[in-house]
Amino acid sequence: MEKLIYNRITAFLDKHNILYKFQFGFRRCHSTSLALIEMLDNVYNNLDIGNVTVGVYLDLQKAFDTVDHGILLRKLHNYGIREIVLNWISDYLTNRQQFVTIGDNASDFDSVT
């Protein structure tokens, strides 16, 4: 079910040109290699015209885990994802719990917020 919803949402976002053109992560035909090429092209173009170029690169570990579910749902609604699909995603994100097992050991359940 998750894969189906993912495919439908990405098709919707692509069809309506909703995503920023430089959003490279988690998109078909957009890779980290393309992001690097785009960045290098931008740097070289600026160096060619005499501009100083500075880069700051951040890698947000577990960035998806930091997404506020309320903000995500509002953004999906604003992008046109509504009713049944939005309710399904909201239900999917609500009252979720997780635990970890390593060998015969298991952690306690913890809420996913």
Side-chain angles (χ1 to χ4, degrees):
M1 187 64 159
E2 292 172 30
K3 188 75 167 174
L4 173 68
I5 296 297
Y6 168 80
N7 288 335
R8 295 294 301 267
I9 289 175
T10 54
F12 176 84
L13 296 173
D14 288 342
K15 178 181 177 183
H16 296 287
N17 257 348
I18 292 172
L19 295 178
Y20 180 56
K21 70 179 183 176
F22 296 117
Q23 167 65 43
F24 291 98
F26 307 104
R27 291 181 69 191
R28 186 175 352 144
C29 300
H30 290 74
S31 66
T32 53
S33 298
L34 287 176
L36 183 58
I37 290 168
E38 183 66 37
M39 186 272 310
L40 286 173
D41 187 50
N42 192 308
V43 168
Y44 291 140
N45 286 336
N46 278 284
L47 290 174
D48 287 344
I49 60 174
N51 289 337
V52 174
T53 303
V54 176
V56 176
Y57 305 95
L58 302 172
D59 182 10
L60 302 176
Q61 186 177 14
K62 297 189 175 192
F64 185 77
D65 293 342
T66 66
V67 173
D68 181 281
H69 295 167
I71 293 171
L72 175 62
L73 293 169
R74 284 192 297 279
K75 284 189 173 216
L76 290 173
H77 181 268
N78 289 338
Y79 291 147
I81 297 169
R82 301 204 172 102
E83 298 178 16
I84 293 171
V85 174
L86 189 62
N87 289 337
W88 186 86
I89 294 170
S90 177
D91 288 345
Y92 179 82
L93 295 172
T94 304
N95 297 322
R96 293 186 58 89
Q97 293 192 324
Q98 66 183 14
F99 71 99
V100 176
T101 60
I102 300 175
D104 294 334
N105 300 308
S107 69
D108 294 331
F109 280 88
D110 196 14
S111 295
V112 178
T113 57

